[in-house]
Amino acid sequence: MRGNDGGGGDEEERTGEIDVASFQQSVGRLEVRGAVVVVLSGARMGSEIRLDGPEVTVGRDGACGVWLPDDGVSRVHARLCVADDGTWVVEDNGSTNGTAVNGVRVSRQTLRDGDRLLLGRTVVRFFTRAAVDDDYSRRVQELSVRDALTKVYNRRFLDDRLAAEVAYARRHGTSLSLLMIDIDHFKAVNDLHGHPVGDEVLRQVAAELRRRLRAEDILARYGGEEFCVLARGIEAQGALVMAERLRKGVESLVVHLETAIRVTVSIGAATAAGGPDLTEATLVEEADRLLYRAKNAGRNRSCGGMLPREPGGVAEGPNGSTPGRR
């Protein structure tokens, strides 16, 4: 708008420019203000939580905008808020166990789409959503945590959950088990029957494994014909019992297609008692070592062990015989 006299025109135009810049900044904040976090672990696993305000608190207190019932999370653990430039940032609120973004502990950090936040032992994933409909949100959530073929959790989710569970076990000294499961001679299934049949075998094996696990256990596809189970709060012998239950379940499975197909699995079950030396890498390496020990011993068997490493660990079947010997 121009003033009533020519002398004030420049002044008013300059004021107008300031107003426009302020308006554009506000619009920018509105465009990215809508965001969402997807909970990848913990009691609210699978939940999608919208961040609708300029500032949202995260914590164990039920009044928090992002409520995480996790005893490793402080009452008001952190804040998620929109910065002046329109980006979202996370600010730790002096929490007991800290806040990490993509594995790095931070006090304040600008967030980008797909960033993983670790709060206590709960992992959440951050996404901006300018104008995202519910169907798209569900697809984003599904793609972020599920394997497209088998519908069990994917490798990325497993890595996130493993990091959170190892951190918790280290801090509290609790036991944690990782089972590495491999379908025996799976290449022969693909070569003989074709990849579509192989895919169906993978789907049915995954479903059989899922049926035989506790609600709190995490089953994920590690890659190819390998699956992993992450189980907390069971000792080494309990992990071996779980492995045998899974092995026997798959051994009894018949995949009915054009012909009846049977497969077996070999399982390595590594258990750690927590403590400061535990890492994701050591647990995965031990489970992998035990898996190959089971493979080398003849397949279709379970092999368990403890970190720090103990002798023995091959599961025994009835009358002391090694299960699955051919």
Side-chain angles (χ1 to χ4, degrees):
M1 180 185 299
R2 295 190 178 275
N4 292 330
D5 61 75
D10 289 344
E11 179 67 29
E12 291 190 40
E13 284 191 9
R14 284 197 296 273
T15 303
E17 289 172 6
I18 293 171
D19 289 342
V20 168
S22 177
F23 173 75
Q24 288 175 336
Q25 184 181 74
S26 297
V27 168
R29 294 184 68 187
L30 285 171
E31 286 175 348
V32 300
R33 180 170 295 169
V36 64
V37 292
V38 177
V39 184
L40 301 183
S41 67
R44 299 195 67 188
M45 182 176 63
S47 299
E48 177 189 294
I49 305 170
R50 296 189 184 196
L51 311 177
D52 291 325
E55 180 175 308
V56 181
T57 54
V58 183
R60 198 175 70 249
D61 193 305
C64 289
V66 178
W67 171 59
L68 301 176
D70 171 351
D71 60 8
V73 172
S74 298
R75 290 182 63 83
V76 181
H77 193 103
R79 291 181 176 84
L80 296 167
C81 50
V82 182
D84 290 340
D85 62 358
T87 59
W88 279 87
V89 298
V90 59
E91 296 178 346
D92 186 76
N93 193 44
S95 63
T96 302
N97 294 316
T99 299
V101 177
N102 299 326
V104 178
R105 189 160 177 165
V106 300
S107 57
R108 176 184 169 90
Q109 176 69 41
T110 299
L111 296 175
R112 298 180 178 180
D113 275 325
D115 277 350
R116 300 186 306 277
L117 283 70
L118 175 63
L119 308 105
R121 61 177 178 182
T122 299
V123 177
V124 303
R125 207 140 193 212
F126 171 85
F127 298 96
T128 56
R129 46 178 298 159
V132 184
D133 61 25
D134 290 339
D135 182 59
Y136 176 80
S137 297
R138 284 191 293 271
R139 290 200 301 272
V140 167
Q141 178 182 344
E142 193 72 9
L143 288 171
S144 70
V145 300
R146 295 284 180 183
D147 174 62
L149 176 65
T150 63
K151 307 307 179 188
V152 301
Y153 291 114
N154 60 23
R155 173 70 180 274
R156 181 177 293 175
F157 176 88
L158 176 70
D159 290 343
D160 287 339
R161 186 62 182 263
L162 181 61
E165 292 294 344
V166 165
Y168 185 85
R170 252 197 327 253
R171 191 163 60 247
H172 297 281
T174 54
S175 60
L176 181 64
S177 296
L178 180 67
L179 280 62
M180 192 81 75
I181 305 165
D182 186 82
I183 302 177
D184 299 323
H185 301 300
F186 184 71
K187 184 178 183 299
V189 175
N190 281 332
D191 291 345
L192 184 60
H193 301 285
H195 287 278
V197 171
D199 287 348
E200 183 59 26
V201 170
L202 285 169
R203 278 190 286 264
Q204 293 200 31
V205 167
E208 180 64 26
L209 294 172
R210 189 166 49 228
R211 278 193 294 269
R212 294 175 179 269
L213 291 170
R214 305 175 301 174
E216 63 268 32
D217 298 327
I218 299 299
L219 171 65
R221 188 179 179 193
Y222 194 70
E225 67 271 24
E226 283 190 294
F227 296 88
C228 281
V229 174
L230 191 58
R232 65 171 108 152
I234 59 174
E235 303 302 323
Q237 186 58 39
L240 196 52
V241 168
M242 173 186 285
E244 273 294 276
R245 185 170 69 245
L246 298 176
R247 185 194 65 78
K248 291 175 182 177
V250 174
E251 186 179 38
S252 66
L253 176 67
V254 181
V255 181
H256 293 284
L257 296 169
E258 292 182 358
T259 183
I261 298 173
R262 292 179 178 271
V263 294
T264 61
V265 294
S266 299
I267 305 176
T271 300
D277 296 329
L278 176 62
T279 66
E280 300 101 281
T282 56
L283 191 58
V284 170
E285 287 167 5
E286 181 65 4
D288 198 51
R289 184 188 73 84
L290 292 165
L291 169 62
Y292 278 94
R293 180 175 170 182
K295 289 280 191 185
N296 292 334
R299 295 182 171 83
N300 189 25
R301 66 197 64 213
S302 305
C303 183
M306 186 80 186
L307 285 174
R309 195 171 294 172
E310 294 179 347
V314 175
E316 292 187 347
N319 304 317
S321 63
T322 304
R325 188 178 299 280
R326 302 180 197 180

